């Protein structure tokens, strides 16, 4: 499958989970810290799972807006997506992710909201990247 790339960004990490990460354009620059649950100190700083959760949540709202522009119900301005990203050892070895997306679409009927979320899950690039690799559970709240 090919992708007609319309935008690219690059980020560089130094020091791994207890280092830093920044986009090459300087728009994002974060200190990283390993959570205590993963054997780290849990100090000030973010971790890759937090960054992934924030990106997936924002991207999923964008995917819902795209679906709405194609004839789906309007996405209200106060719509939210809460992305919960878990990490841990996989039974097959190595580590894996586990994701829950809780979608709030105030004023949109439950059936319409569920249909919108299902369609957004088919077009969202994060959903497409994780499909078949990561359990992603969708809930309309």
């Amino acid at each position: 499958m090919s992708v007609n790339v319309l935008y690219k960004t690059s980020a560089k990490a130094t020091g791994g989970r207890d280092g830093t990460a920044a986009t090459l354009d300087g728009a994002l620059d974060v200190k990283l810290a390993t959570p205590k649950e993963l054997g780290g100190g849990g100090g000030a700083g973010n971790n890759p799972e937090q960054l992934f959760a924030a990106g997936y949540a924002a991207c999923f709202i964008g995917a819902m807006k795209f679906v709405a522009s194609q004839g789906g119900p309007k996405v209200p301005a106060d719509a939210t997506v809460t992305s919960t990203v878990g990490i841990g050892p996989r039974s097959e070895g190595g580590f894996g992710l586990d994701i829950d997306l809780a979608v709030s679409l105030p004023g949109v009927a439950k059936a319409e909201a569920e249909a919108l979320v299902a369609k957004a899950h088919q077009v969202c690039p994060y959903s497409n990247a994780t499909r078949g690799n990561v359990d992603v559970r969708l809930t309309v709240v």
Side-chain angles (χ1 to χ4, degrees):
M1 171 179 49
S2 66
V3 175
N4 178 20
V5 176
L6 300 176
Y7 170 77
K8 285 185 181 185
T9 188
S10 297
K12 184 185 290 187
T14 304
R17 287 181 166 271
D18 287 306
T20 60
T23 55
L24 298 187
D25 65 6
L28 176 73
D29 190 346
V30 295
K31 179 180 180 334
L32 302 172
T34 303
K36 289 181 182 181
E37 297 85 347
L38 296 178
N46 296 103
N47 60 63
E49 293 71 37
Q50 290 170 322
L51 299 171
F52 186 82
Y56 200 162
C59 191
F60 201 83
I61 290 173
M64 290 190 300
K65 288 180 177 182
F66 173 79
V67 169
S69 77
Q70 306 295 303
K74 184 172 176 4
V75 176
D78 56 349
T80 63
V81 173
T82 302
S83 173
T84 303
V85 175
I87 183 173
R90 297 176 346 130
S91 57
E92 301 87 354
F95 291 86
L97 299 175
D98 180 83
I99 301 169
D100 287 291
L101 298 180
V103 182
S104 173
L105 294 162
V108 178
K110 181 101 171 175
E112 282 187 316
E114 288 173 343
L116 175 66
V117 166
K119 288 177 184 172
H121 191 48
Q122 296 306 306
V123 300
C124 176
Y126 280 63
S127 294
N128 287 332
T130 58
R131 188 169 290 110
N133 303 323
V134 178
D135 285 334
V136 178
R137 287 168 300 284
L138 306 169
T139 307
V140 174
V141 296

